Each structure stands twice: as C-alpha cells, then as structure tokens.
C-alpha cells in the first residue's frame, strides 16, 4: 500500500505520485479525489495497481485514477491509461473481462406519481422478460452467421430486426458499433458462450433499475435530453456477457507469451500487453471490438424487452409510457482516439477500465444534436442509492483524455459484505424505503449492499468540482432488478 | 480411496478477501494436487447446486506455456464448460500432469441452468510457489 506523503497535491482535487516514486514508472500517476476519498483509496492496493499501469510501454502523460478507484486485478477499477500509437501497447487486462460493460439510460414522459400504482407489476414483468444470472440464456436463437453479424454491426444489427429505433443507435457511444471488428479473431469458445446470451443481464453488479428523476441541476441541458424532474427513468447496466469474458481470457492467456516475445517486462502478469500495431495487438483489438459490439447489441435488446414490459403493464392505464433513449455509454474499453497533447494532435489507444468517456462540447464524434452540450455521462450508484446524469467537459478533454468516473466504487469485499449483511434483511430495508427488489440470489444481493460502496454523491461532486464532468440530474431508485 | 483423495485430506484452501472480486489461496504437495484443489476451491465458491441424478463425465486436455498459464487455462475451461453445457463438477481426476499440460476427467451433474456466478480466472499477481512444504498459489476470480 502507498502512504499519503508520496503524493504531491496539484489542485484541490488532483494528487500526483511523481515518476521518481518507483524506478519502473514511465510517467507520473494522478488521482482525482478529495481527502476522504484519497484516504479510502489508500486502504487497499488500488494505488499500487495504478502505479503499475504507469510502467506500460508507450504510456502518455500520466496514469489516471478517478475518485471511484478501487482494487481490481491488474489495472485498478477507475483507471485511465492512454498509449501513443502506433507503437504504444494495448492491454486486454486494461479493458477487463466484461468488455464494454456500460450503462444505458431511458426516460419516459410520465411521472412517478402516474406509474406508482403499477411499479410492482412493471418490476416483475422486467424480471420475467430479461433473463439474469451469469449463465442465463436469452430468447433470441442466433445462427453462427447471425452472431457474426451482431459482432460486426453491434446495435445497428438490431435496427434490421425491429429491436431498435434509429435514435437509439444515434444516442449510443460510437453509434453502437466499434469499427474494425472481425469475428475470425473470436474463438469458438467465445462464440459458444455468446450465442445464447444476447438480451440477458448477467449477475454481479449488473442491474436494471426504474428510477425517479429526483433533481435537475441544469434545466436547459436536461430538457435537451428529455429529462424532467419527477419523471420516470430506466437504467440498464451490463456488458458483453460470456463472450467478452472468453475473449479477454483468450488474449490474456495468449499474451503471456507474446509480451515475453516483445521483451515487455511488467510488475503483474494480468497487465500483459503487446504493441498496438503488432499482429497480435490488431487481432485483440478486432476481437475486443466484436465483444464491444455484442454488448451494445445486448443493451439494445434489453431496452427493447423493457419497452415491451412497460407496454405489457401500462398500456391503457398510463399515457406517455414510451421510453426514449438518453444515451448509452461504455466504461470498460480500449479505443483509438485523437487528443491534443502539448499542442499536437496525437492518436492514442485510450484504455478506460471502470471509467467513462466524457467528451466535451464541440467534439466531432458526437451526434449533431448533442455536439453543443457535450456527451451525456451516466454514473450509476450502488443499489438503493442515487445515480447521476452528467455531461462531458472541455476540462476533461484537456486533463483526462476525455474521461471521468464510472460509479460509486467498491469499499468492502464481497466476503465481508456477505458476513455483515443478510440479503433478505436488505431487501426488507429497501422495501421499507419504497424500493422494490426483484433478485435471483439473496447472497448476491448482500454483496451489492449500499454499505459495500463509497458514497456516489461524493464521487460525483469530485468530478463535477474538478471540472471533468458537469452534473445535470440526480436519479433515485424505485425498483431494482438483479441477477 | 485413491491416491489423490488421500493427498487432498492434508491439503488446504481458504478464501482471501478481495475488494471487488473473489480470491482463494490453495496449498498442495504437488502440482497435480494444486490443480485439483484449485478446481475444488473454485467450484465451492458457488455453493451446492440443486440436487439432480443426471450424472455426467467429461474428458479434457488443457495446455499452458508454464504452470501459471496452465492453472488459469484449466480453471477457465471448467467455467466455460459449466456455463455452456449447464453442468456442475465436483470431482476431478487428473493425470499426465506436467508444467504445460494436463489430462483430466471431470465428474458432476447436468443442471437445468448454469449456476456459476464466476466470470473468469485472472493472472493477477499469480505465482505458483514451490517450496519444501509443497506448492501454493493465490488465485483472483472476476465476478
């Protein structure tokens, strides 16, 4: 573990570990936090993991950690690493096993008051229609050719199947499709794991949540996103399921040899990496893009199933229950992006592991309708606590490769959470607060107890006050659906 | 009682706290036993599956460039089979074990749906340590 005196305070919310801290660091490491969150980060090995990422060949400027940082495997969760192309490295562990784990936000133009009498039925319908659990299977049976089309086309494939609207795809990061996907670099094992899992939620911290828009901080921008106080919102948090897990496994295992062949020495084998422009690097990127596209398609199909669930329960009872998509973001991804560094436009491979892209106003990669306000950023809280909608900023472009935090950040181990919290007690506690829970596993529920996480409001205040995202609205849960 | 079962009596494994994921430490007298005990420790994280009388057996071969890669590939292959075949394994018979290869028979039961909550086995700080007392490794699993 690191101790606080190793840090240099650069700003109220920015702390730096100088490159001189360890001989193998290629750049300094930076953490966005207030003093309390800094002390929390010091309580586990996450900052050692952050320092480890600063040793990656080709890393540019600094290794960055967000205020929701916590210990992961290899990279910390809440980390951002950009490597300079073409020779800088790409690391499968820097993306993680759940490639393109992300969040989608939908909103209805109806109030909580109108939907309240039917919320239990809505939650039950979503739970029944959206399969959950790690190995859960969906209702869509894909041929091999269909699956490869999903891997290549992402959310766009859903347009042709009647499971998406054009505006859904337009309001998805990268328009729901990462270019460069090539299914021939995806193993048969990965195909097999993914074939039956499209339109499934998974387990762990993944969820679907029905929310109340509890507070709006910027009415003008919120209105542009169809966000109005006291209306209904729905969040979907999940990723590429077993297909993504298998792709990461395949390449982390394969790169154990490749990294050695390229003479890359690393402090942790989970950090294995290869030059981005190498044959192996390009193959991983093509496979990762396939998993990312699968995840975009997965959240799209879940959105369709949730819309069906709303219609099933609310048709004829409530007006305006249709769900419009605000945006869909990824928070586990490696992407090729251009950023301005010291006055030069550079091509970078930006790894965000538990971090969200937060491109500011004027970014050419955003859809025209959002370009003047910046990219919507979706930050889910822990179960039973608030979530936030923010937008990207110019400061994020200048300081963090257009990145910000991704959630509350874990505080307590799963083992400890299970010891301290009973799932059935937690469900009753949430019920007493008016939050309906539909969950497959009581022990899984206990692991995700709010007390196991940091205070998401404090995390969001740091990124807002540091200027690397701007608060737009706060959501409060009224129903939680979990695997 | 087979030699493997006899050895397992004196080996140990325990869950280790990890902030976000699951981790366990495994001890054994030799590499084959370490691989076998790691498999038992991993499937134990999911608890007992629903009772069923549909018993199954699978035979697999796994390769890796060194002990650590072999260990990770072996455990990940078990997760892959559990998820795609909707099976649960509770007995592992290993043979032909070297630092880079193993042959194994998996015994278990067919289920109606996959019960594992584990996503993937990682290489995080993984080191198969060999000493006079035997073998030891700490394994972190993404959940």
């Amino acid at each position: 573990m690191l101790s606080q005196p190793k840090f240099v305070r650069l700003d109220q919310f920015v702390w730096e570990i100088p490159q001189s801290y360890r001989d193998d660091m290629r750049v300094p490491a930076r953490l966005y936090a207030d003093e309390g969150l800094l002390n929390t980060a010091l309580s586990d090995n996450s900052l050692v993991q952050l320092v480890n990422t600063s040793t990656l060949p080709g890393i540019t400027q600094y290794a960055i950690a967000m205020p929701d940082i916590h210990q992961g495997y290899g990279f910390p969760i809440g980390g951002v690493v950009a490597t300079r192309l073409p020779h800088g490295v790409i690391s499968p562990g820097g993306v993680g096993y759940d490639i393109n784990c992300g969040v989608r936000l939908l909103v209805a133009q109806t109030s909580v008051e109108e939907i309240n009498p039917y919320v239990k039925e809505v939650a039950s319908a979503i739970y029944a229609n959206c399969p959950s659990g790690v190995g859960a299977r969906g209702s869509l049976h894909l041929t091999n050719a269909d699956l490869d089309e999903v891997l290549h086309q992402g959310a766009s494939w859903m347009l042709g199947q009647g499971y998406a609207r054009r505006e859904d795809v337009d309001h998805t990061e990268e328009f729901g499709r990462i270019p460069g996907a090539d299914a021939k670099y995806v193993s048969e094992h990965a195909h097999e794991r993914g074939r039956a899992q499209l339109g499934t939620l998974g387990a762990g911290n993944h969820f679907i949540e029905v929310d109340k828009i509890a507070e709006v901080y910027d009415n003008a921008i919120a209105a542009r996103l169809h966000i109005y106080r006291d209306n209904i919102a729905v969040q979907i948090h999940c990723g590429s399921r077993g297909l993504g897990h298998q792709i990461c496994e395949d390449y982390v295992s394969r790169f154990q040899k490749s990294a050695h062949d390229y003479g890359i020495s690393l402090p942790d084998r989970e950090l294995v990496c290869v030059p981005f422009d190498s044959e192996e690097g390009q193959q991983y990127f093509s496979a990762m893009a396939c998993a990312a596209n699968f995840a975009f398609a997965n959240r799209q199909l879940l959105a369709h199933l949730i819309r069906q669930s709303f219609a099933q329960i609310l048709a004829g009872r409530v007006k305006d229950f249709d769900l419009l998509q605000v945006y869909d973001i990824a928070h586990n991804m490696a992407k090729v992006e251009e950023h301005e560094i010291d006055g030069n436009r550079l091509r970078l491979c930006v790894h965000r592991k538990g971090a969200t892209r937060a491109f500011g106003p004027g970014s050419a990669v955003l859809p025209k309708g959002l370009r003047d306000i910046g990219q919507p950023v979706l930050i889910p809280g822990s179960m039973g606590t608030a979530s936030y909608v923010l937008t990207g900023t110019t400061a994020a472009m200048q300081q963090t490769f257009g990145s910000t935090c991704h959630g509350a950040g874990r505080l307590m181990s799963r083992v400890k959470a299970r010891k301290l919290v009973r799932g059935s007690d937690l469900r009753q506690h949430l019920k007493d607060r008016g939050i309906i829970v539909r969950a497959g596993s009581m022990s899984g529920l206990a692991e995700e107890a709010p007390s196991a996480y940091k205070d998401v409001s404090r995390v969001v205040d740091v990124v807002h006050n540091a200027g690397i995202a701007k608060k737009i609205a706060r959501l409060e849960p009224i129903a939680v659906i979990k695997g | 009682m087979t030699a493997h079962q006899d050895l397992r009596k004196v080996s140990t494994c325990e869950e280790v706290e990890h902030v976000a994921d699951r981790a366990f430490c495994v001890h054994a007298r030799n590499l084959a036993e370490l691989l076998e005990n790691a498999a038992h420790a991993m499937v134990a994280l999911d608890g007992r599956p629903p009772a069923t009388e549909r018993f199954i057996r699978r035979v697999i071969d796994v390769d890796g460039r060194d002990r650590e890669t072999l260990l990770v590939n072996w455990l990940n292959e078990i997760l892959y089979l559990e998820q795609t075949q909707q099976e649960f394994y509770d007995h592992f018979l290993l043979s032909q074990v070297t630092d880079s290869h193993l042959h194994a028979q998996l015994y278990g039961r067919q289920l109606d749906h996959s019960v594992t909550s584990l996503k993937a086995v990682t290489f995080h700080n993984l080191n198969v340590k060999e000493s006079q007392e035997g073998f030891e490794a700490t394994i972190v699993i993404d959940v």
Side-chain angles (χ1 to χ4, degrees), chain A residues 370-409:
Chain A
L370 298 176
R371 210 169 284 168
D372 61 322
I373 60 173
Q375 177 210 309
V377 172
L378 313 172
I379 307 298
S382 53
M383 186 171 51
T385 66
S387 298
Y388 287 84
V389 182
L390 301 92
T391 49
T393 62
T394 303
M397 303 307 286
Q398 294 165 342
Q399 296 178 32
T400 57
F401 308 106
S403 311
T404 195
C405 64
H406 89 304

mmCIF file of all heavy atoms in Angstrom, chain A residues 370-409:
data_model
loop_
_atom_site.group_PDB
_atom_site.id
_atom_site.type_symbol
_atom_site.label_atom_id
_atom_site.label_comp_id
_atom_site.label_asym_id
_atom_site.label_seq_id
_atom_site.Cartn_x
_atom_site.Cartn_y
_atom_site.Cartn_z
ATOM 1 N N LEU A 370 -26.201 16.571 -29.998
ATOM 2 C CA LEU A 370 -25.579 16.649 -28.671
ATOM 3 C C LEU A 370 -24.266 17.425 -28.696
ATOM 4 O O LEU A 370 -23.669 17.679 -27.642
ATOM 5 C CB LEU A 370 -25.301 15.229 -28.134
ATOM 6 C CG LEU A 370 -26.505 14.318 -27.902
ATOM 7 C CD1 LEU A 370 -26.042 12.931 -27.463
ATOM 8 C CD2 LEU A 370 -27.438 14.916 -26.851
ATOM 9 N N ARG A 371 -23.813 17.804 -29.898
ATOM 10 C CA ARG A 371 -22.455 18.336 -30.025
ATOM 11 C C ARG A 371 -22.253 19.633 -29.238
ATOM 12 O O ARG A 371 -21.163 19.882 -28.746
ATOM 13 C CB ARG A 371 -22.141 18.546 -31.516
ATOM 14 C CG ARG A 371 -20.680 18.382 -31.838
ATOM 15 C CD ARG A 371 -20.460 18.333 -33.339
ATOM 16 N NE ARG A 371 -20.849 17.054 -33.903
ATOM 17 C CZ ARG A 371 -20.969 16.824 -35.212
ATOM 18 N NH1 ARG A 371 -20.755 17.801 -36.083
ATOM 19 N NH2 ARG A 371 -21.319 15.629 -35.658
ATOM 20 N N ASP A 372 -23.292 20.437 -29.108
ATOM 21 C CA ASP A 372 -23.103 21.716 -28.416
ATOM 22 C C ASP A 372 -23.180 21.589 -26.893
ATOM 23 O O ASP A 372 -22.746 22.494 -26.177
ATOM 24 C CB ASP A 372 -24.142 22.747 -28.905
ATOM 25 C CG ASP A 372 -25.565 22.290 -28.618
ATOM 26 O OD1 ASP A 372 -25.835 21.072 -28.747
ATOM 27 O OD2 ASP A 372 -26.402 23.134 -28.255
ATOM 28 N N ILE A 373 -23.710 20.476 -26.392
ATOM 29 C CA ILE A 373 -23.830 20.347 -24.920
ATOM 30 C C ILE A 373 -22.819 19.357 -24.343
ATOM 31 O O ILE A 373 -22.618 19.299 -23.136
ATOM 32 C CB ILE A 373 -25.259 19.916 -24.489
ATOM 33 C CG1 ILE A 373 -25.649 18.569 -25.097
ATOM 34 C CG2 ILE A 373 -26.271 20.993 -24.861
ATOM 35 C CD1 ILE A 373 -26.974 18.027 -24.576
ATOM 36 N N GLY A 374 -22.172 18.589 -25.187
ATOM 37 C CA GLY A 374 -21.229 17.576 -24.694
ATOM 38 C C GLY A 374 -21.921 16.238 -24.519
ATOM 39 O O GLY A 374 -23.148 16.123 -24.513
ATOM 40 N N GLN A 375 -21.101 15.205 -24.385
ATOM 41 C CA GLN A 375 -21.624 13.837 -24.304
ATOM 42 C C GLN A 375 -22.304 13.570 -22.962
ATOM 43 O O GLN A 375 -21.736 13.879 -21.918
ATOM 44 C CB GLN A 375 -20.457 12.863 -24.481
ATOM 45 C CG GLN A 375 -20.820 11.406 -24.355
ATOM 46 C CD GLN A 375 -19.666 10.593 -23.827
ATOM 47 O OE1 GLN A 375 -18.563 10.684 -24.350
ATOM 48 N NE2 GLN A 375 -19.919 9.803 -22.791
ATOM 49 N N PRO A 376 -23.502 12.994 -22.975
ATOM 50 C CA PRO A 376 -24.087 12.574 -21.698
ATOM 51 C C PRO A 376 -23.216 11.497 -21.031
ATOM 52 O O PRO A 376 -22.677 10.619 -21.704
ATOM 53 C CB PRO A 376 -25.447 11.985 -22.101
ATOM 54 C CG PRO A 376 -25.748 12.595 -23.432
ATOM 55 C CD PRO A 376 -24.406 12.751 -24.111
ATOM 56 N N VAL A 377 -23.071 11.622 -19.733
ATOM 57 C CA VAL A 377 -22.278 10.676 -18.930
ATOM 58 C C VAL A 377 -23.222 10.079 -17.896
ATOM 59 O O VAL A 377 -23.927 10.824 -17.208
ATOM 60 C CB VAL A 377 -21.108 11.409 -18.230
ATOM 61 C CG1 VAL A 377 -20.407 10.498 -17.242
ATOM 62 C CG2 VAL A 377 -20.116 11.943 -19.259
ATOM 63 N N LEU A 378 -23.244 8.770 -17.783
ATOM 64 C CA LEU A 378 -24.201 8.085 -16.902
ATOM 65 C C LEU A 378 -23.442 7.399 -15.774
ATOM 66 O O LEU A 378 -22.628 6.512 -16.033
ATOM 67 C CB LEU A 378 -25.016 7.066 -17.708
ATOM 68 C CG LEU A 378 -25.584 7.608 -19.026
ATOM 69 C CD1 LEU A 378 -26.201 6.480 -19.845
ATOM 70 C CD2 LEU A 378 -26.602 8.710 -18.766
ATOM 71 N N ILE A 379 -23.706 7.818 -14.558
ATOM 72 C CA ILE A 379 -22.977 7.290 -13.398
ATOM 73 C C ILE A 379 -23.958 6.593 -12.461
ATOM 74 O O ILE A 379 -24.655 7.257 -11.670
ATOM 75 C CB ILE A 379 -22.246 8.421 -12.632
ATOM 76 C CG1 ILE A 379 -21.377 9.244 -13.580
ATOM 77 C CG2 ILE A 379 -21.426 7.853 -11.479
ATOM 78 C CD1 ILE A 379 -20.266 8.470 -14.251
ATOM 79 N N PRO A 380 -24.031 5.269 -12.521
ATOM 80 C CA PRO A 380 -24.943 4.566 -11.611
ATOM 81 C C PRO A 380 -24.369 4.501 -10.208
ATOM 82 O O PRO A 380 -23.161 4.336 -10.026
ATOM 83 C CB PRO A 380 -25.013 3.160 -12.230
ATOM 84 C CG PRO A 380 -23.720 2.991 -12.947
ATOM 85 C CD PRO A 380 -23.292 4.364 -13.405
ATOM 86 N N GLY A 381 -25.239 4.636 -9.223
ATOM 87 C CA GLY A 381 -24.803 4.480 -7.841
ATOM 88 C C GLY A 381 -24.903 3.030 -7.420
ATOM 89 O O GLY A 381 -25.201 2.147 -8.231
ATOM 90 N N SER A 382 -24.654 2.771 -6.157
ATOM 91 C CA SER A 382 -24.851 1.416 -5.647
ATOM 92 C C SER A 382 -26.351 1.201 -5.449
ATOM 93 O O SER A 382 -27.141 2.138 -5.499
ATOM 94 C CB SER A 382 -24.106 1.254 -4.325
ATOM 95 O OG SER A 382 -24.485 2.276 -3.440
ATOM 96 N N MET A 383 -26.714 -0.071 -5.222
ATOM 97 C CA MET A 383 -28.123 -0.417 -5.132
ATOM 98 C C MET A 383 -28.816 0.387 -4.009
ATOM 99 O O MET A 383 -28.323 0.434 -2.885
ATOM 100 C CB MET A 383 -28.238 -1.905 -4.842
ATOM 101 C CG MET A 383 -29.646 -2.425 -4.876
ATOM 102 S SD MET A 383 -29.626 -4.210 -4.793
ATOM 103 C CE MET A 383 -28.598 -4.476 -3.378
ATOM 104 N N GLY A 384 -29.915 1.011 -4.350
ATOM 105 C CA GLY A 384 -30.674 1.749 -3.343
ATOM 106 C C GLY A 384 -30.208 3.178 -3.150
ATOM 107 O O GLY A 384 -30.775 3.910 -2.336
ATOM 108 N N THR A 385 -29.159 3.581 -3.859
ATOM 109 C CA THR A 385 -28.678 4.956 -3.712
ATOM 110 C C THR A 385 -28.856 5.695 -5.035
ATOM 111 O O THR A 385 -29.297 5.126 -6.029
ATOM 112 C CB THR A 385 -27.197 4.997 -3.306
ATOM 113 O OG1 THR A 385 -26.407 4.470 -4.381
ATOM 114 C CG2 THR A 385 -26.949 4.182 -2.053
ATOM 115 N N ALA A 386 -28.466 6.981 -5.033
ATOM 116 C CA ALA A 386 -28.684 7.825 -6.207
ATOM 117 C C ALA A 386 -27.792 7.425 -7.374
ATOM 118 O O ALA A 386 -26.756 6.775 -7.203
ATOM 119 C CB ALA A 386 -28.405 9.278 -5.837
ATOM 120 N N SER A 387 -28.208 7.807 -8.570
ATOM 121 C CA SER A 387 -27.381 7.751 -9.768
ATOM 122 C C SER A 387 -27.389 9.146 -10.375
ATOM 123 O O SER A 387 -28.251 9.969 -10.029
ATOM 124 C CB SER A 387 -27.940 6.739 -10.774
ATOM 125 O OG SER A 387 -27.938 5.443 -10.228
ATOM 126 N N TYR A 388 -26.456 9.411 -11.275
ATOM 127 C CA TYR A 388 -26.331 10.767 -11.810
ATOM 128 C C TYR A 388 -26.220 10.783 -13.328
ATOM 129 O O TYR A 388 -25.643 9.865 -13.933
ATOM 130 C CB TYR A 388 -25.095 11.451 -11.223
ATOM 131 C CG TYR A 388 -25.276 11.846 -9.768
ATOM 132 C CD1 TYR A 388 -25.049 10.926 -8.749
ATOM 133 C CD2 TYR A 388 -25.718 13.112 -9.429
ATOM 134 C CE1 TYR A 388 -25.237 11.270 -7.411
ATOM 135 C CE2 TYR A 388 -25.912 13.468 -8.098
ATOM 136 C CZ TYR A 388 -25.665 12.550 -7.098
ATOM 137 O OH TYR A 388 -25.866 12.896 -5.776
ATOM 138 N N VAL A 389 -26.757 11.846 -13.903
ATOM 139 C CA VAL A 389 -26.518 12.156 -15.314
ATOM 140 C C VAL A 389 -25.634 13.397 -15.338
ATOM 141 O O VAL A 389 -25.926 14.387 -14.668
ATOM 142 C CB VAL A 389 -27.836 12.446 -16.063
ATOM 143 C CG1 VAL A 389 -27.552 12.728 -17.541
ATOM 144 C CG2 VAL A 389 -28.813 11.287 -15.908
ATOM 145 N N LEU A 390 -24.553 13.321 -16.076
ATOM 146 C CA LEU A 390 -23.646 14.449 -16.221
ATOM 147 C C LEU A 390 -23.388 14.653 -17.709
ATOM 148 O O LEU A 390 -23.874 13.880 -18.546
ATOM 149 C CB LEU A 390 -22.315 14.191 -15.492
ATOM 150 C CG LEU A 390 -22.387 13.910 -13.976
ATOM 151 C CD1 LEU A 390 -22.481 12.437 -13.704
ATOM 152 C CD2 LEU A 390 -21.158 14.484 -13.268
ATOM 153 N N THR A 391 -22.612 15.675 -18.042
ATOM 154 C CA THR A 391 -22.132 15.811 -19.418
ATOM 155 C C THR A 391 -20.624 16.009 -19.399
ATOM 156 O O THR A 391 -20.048 16.487 -18.406
ATOM 157 C CB THR A 391 -22.794 17.001 -20.143
ATOM 158 O OG1 THR A 391 -22.718 18.157 -19.313
ATOM 159 C CG2 THR A 391 -24.237 16.704 -20.509
ATOM 160 N N GLY A 392 -19.992 15.638 -20.513
ATOM 161 C CA GLY A 392 -18.553 15.803 -20.645
ATOM 162 C C GLY A 392 -18.175 17.273 -20.776
ATOM 163 O O GLY A 392 -19.010 18.129 -21.078
ATOM 164 N N THR A 393 -16.905 17.563 -20.537
ATOM 165 C CA THR A 393 -16.451 18.956 -20.487
ATOM 166 C C THR A 393 -15.152 19.153 -21.276
ATOM 167 O O THR A 393 -14.425 18.189 -21.556
ATOM 168 C CB THR A 393 -16.178 19.379 -19.030
ATOM 169 O OG1 THR A 393 -15.114 18.545 -18.523
ATOM 170 C CG2 THR A 393 -17.404 19.232 -18.154
ATOM 171 N N THR A 394 -14.867 20.406 -21.544
ATOM 172 C CA THR A 394 -13.596 20.761 -22.178
ATOM 173 C C THR A 394 -12.424 20.419 -21.255
ATOM 174 O O THR A 394 -11.377 19.952 -21.706
ATOM 175 C CB THR A 394 -13.591 22.264 -22.513
ATOM 176 O OG1 THR A 394 -14.727 22.534 -23.346
ATOM 177 C CG2 THR A 394 -12.328 22.673 -23.233
ATOM 178 N N ALA A 395 -12.618 20.622 -19.953
ATOM 179 C CA ALA A 395 -11.542 20.314 -18.997
ATOM 180 C C ALA A 395 -11.200 18.824 -19.022
ATOM 181 O O ALA A 395 -10.030 18.443 -18.895
ATOM 182 C CB ALA A 395 -11.959 20.730 -17.593
ATOM 183 N N ALA A 396 -12.211 17.958 -19.202
ATOM 184 C CA ALA A 396 -11.936 16.519 -19.297
ATOM 185 C C ALA A 396 -11.085 16.236 -20.531
ATOM 186 O O ALA A 396 -10.168 15.400 -20.495
ATOM 187 C CB ALA A 396 -13.242 15.725 -19.351
ATOM 188 N N MET A 397 -11.371 16.948 -21.633
ATOM 189 C CA MET A 397 -10.572 16.753 -22.853
ATOM 190 C C MET A 397 -9.113 17.148 -22.603
ATOM 191 O O MET A 397 -8.190 16.530 -23.114
ATOM 192 C CB MET A 397 -11.139 17.581 -24.012
ATOM 193 C CG MET A 397 -12.591 17.315 -24.354
ATOM 194 S SD MET A 397 -12.975 15.577 -24.641
ATOM 195 C CE MET A 397 -12.242 15.313 -26.243
ATOM 196 N N GLN A 398 -8.933 18.193 -21.788
ATOM 197 C CA GLN A 398 -7.581 18.708 -21.549
ATOM 198 C C GLN A 398 -6.811 17.909 -20.496
ATOM 199 O O GLN A 398 -5.590 17.809 -20.551
ATOM 200 C CB GLN A 398 -7.672 20.176 -21.111
ATOM 201 C CG GLN A 398 -8.206 21.088 -22.207
ATOM 202 C CD GLN A 398 -8.630 22.454 -21.659
ATOM 203 O OE1 GLN A 398 -8.845 22.627 -20.448
ATOM 204 N NE2 GLN A 398 -8.774 23.432 -22.556
ATOM 205 N N GLN A 399 -7.548 17.348 -19.525
ATOM 206 C CA GLN A 399 -6.859 16.753 -18.367
ATOM 207 C C GLN A 399 -6.858 15.232 -18.336
ATOM 208 O O GLN A 399 -5.931 14.627 -17.811
ATOM 209 C CB GLN A 399 -7.541 17.227 -17.073
ATOM 210 C CG GLN A 399 -7.443 18.702 -16.817
ATOM 211 C CD GLN A 399 -8.183 19.082 -15.543
ATOM 212 O OE1 GLN A 399 -8.251 18.309 -14.582
ATOM 213 N NE2 GLN A 399 -8.758 20.271 -15.519
ATOM 214 N N THR A 400 -7.920 14.606 -18.854
ATOM 215 C CA THR A 400 -8.100 13.169 -18.589
ATOM 216 C C THR A 400 -8.408 12.367 -19.858
ATOM 217 O O THR A 400 -9.043 11.334 -19.795
ATOM 218 C CB THR A 400 -9.255 12.952 -17.580
ATOM 219 O OG1 THR A 400 -10.446 13.556 -18.121
ATOM 220 C CG2 THR A 400 -8.946 13.560 -16.231
ATOM 221 N N PHE A 401 -7.926 12.845 -21.005
ATOM 222 C CA PHE A 401 -8.233 12.187 -22.281
ATOM 223 C C PHE A 401 -9.744 12.031 -22.452
ATOM 224 O O PHE A 401 -10.230 11.016 -22.931
ATOM 225 C CB PHE A 401 -7.547 10.810 -22.378
ATOM 226 C CG PHE A 401 -6.074 10.854 -22.091
ATOM 227 C CD1 PHE A 401 -5.571 10.364 -20.894
ATOM 228 C CD2 PHE A 401 -5.181 11.397 -23.005
ATOM 229 C CE1 PHE A 401 -4.213 10.408 -20.609
ATOM 230 C CE2 PHE A 401 -3.822 11.463 -22.730
ATOM 231 C CZ PHE A 401 -3.333 10.956 -21.529
ATOM 232 N N GLY A 402 -10.489 13.039 -22.031
ATOM 233 C CA GLY A 402 -11.948 12.994 -22.165
ATOM 234 C C GLY A 402 -12.570 11.871 -21.361
ATOM 235 O O GLY A 402 -13.379 11.106 -21.881
ATOM 236 N N SER A 403 -12.206 11.789 -20.084
ATOM 237 C CA SER A 403 -12.693 10.674 -19.243
ATOM 238 C C SER A 403 -13.149 11.192 -17.882
ATOM 239 O O SER A 403 -12.652 12.213 -17.390
ATOM 240 C CB SER A 403 -11.574 9.652 -18.996
ATOM 241 O OG SER A 403 -10.937 9.291 -20.187
ATOM 242 N N THR A 404 -14.043 10.428 -17.266
ATOM 243 C CA THR A 404 -14.452 10.730 -15.889
ATOM 244 C C THR A 404 -14.773 9.420 -15.167
ATOM 245 O O THR A 404 -14.477 8.343 -15.683
ATOM 246 C CB THR A 404 -15.630 11.740 -15.890
ATOM 247 O OG1 THR A 404 -15.773 12.282 -14.588
ATOM 248 C CG2 THR A 404 -16.928 11.099 -16.331
ATOM 249 N N CYS A 405 -15.383 9.516 -13.977
ATOM 250 C CA CYS A 405 -15.616 8.326 -13.152
ATOM 251 C C CYS A 405 -16.707 7.432 -13.757
ATOM 252 O O CYS A 405 -17.323 7.786 -14.768
ATOM 253 C CB CYS A 405 -16.007 8.746 -11.739
ATOM 254 S SG CYS A 405 -17.582 9.638 -11.658
ATOM 255 N N HIS A 406 -16.963 6.276 -13.143
ATOM 256 C CA HIS A 406 -17.970 5.361 -13.712
ATOM 257 C C HIS A 406 -19.019 4.898 -12.713
ATOM 258 O O HIS A 406 -19.993 4.261 -13.100
ATOM 259 C CB HIS A 406 -17.296 4.159 -14.343
ATOM 260 C CG HIS A 406 -17.070 2.985 -13.405
ATOM 261 N ND1 HIS A 406 -16.385 3.085 -12.221
ATOM 262 C CD2 HIS A 406 -17.454 1.688 -13.504
ATOM 263 C CE1 HIS A 406 -16.352 1.909 -11.640
ATOM 264 N NE2 HIS A 406 -16.991 1.038 -12.374
ATOM 265 N N GLY A 407 -18.828 5.177 -11.426
ATOM 266 C CA GLY A 407 -19.816 4.697 -10.451
ATOM 267 C C GLY A 407 -19.403 5.110 -9.051
ATOM 268 O O GLY A 407 -18.609 6.042 -8.875
ATOM 269 N N ALA A 408 -19.912 4.384 -8.065
ATOM 270 C CA ALA A 408 -19.591 4.734 -6.682
ATOM 271 C C ALA A 408 -18.195 4.232 -6.305
ATOM 272 O O ALA A 408 -17.433 4.910 -5.625
ATOM 273 C CB ALA A 408 -20.636 4.134 -5.745
ATOM 274 N N GLY A 409 -17.857 3.035 -6.757
ATOM 275 C CA GLY A 409 -16.583 2.430 -6.371
ATOM 276 C C GLY A 409 -16.759 1.578 -5.133
ATOM 277 O O GLY A 409 -17.318 2.011 -4.127
#
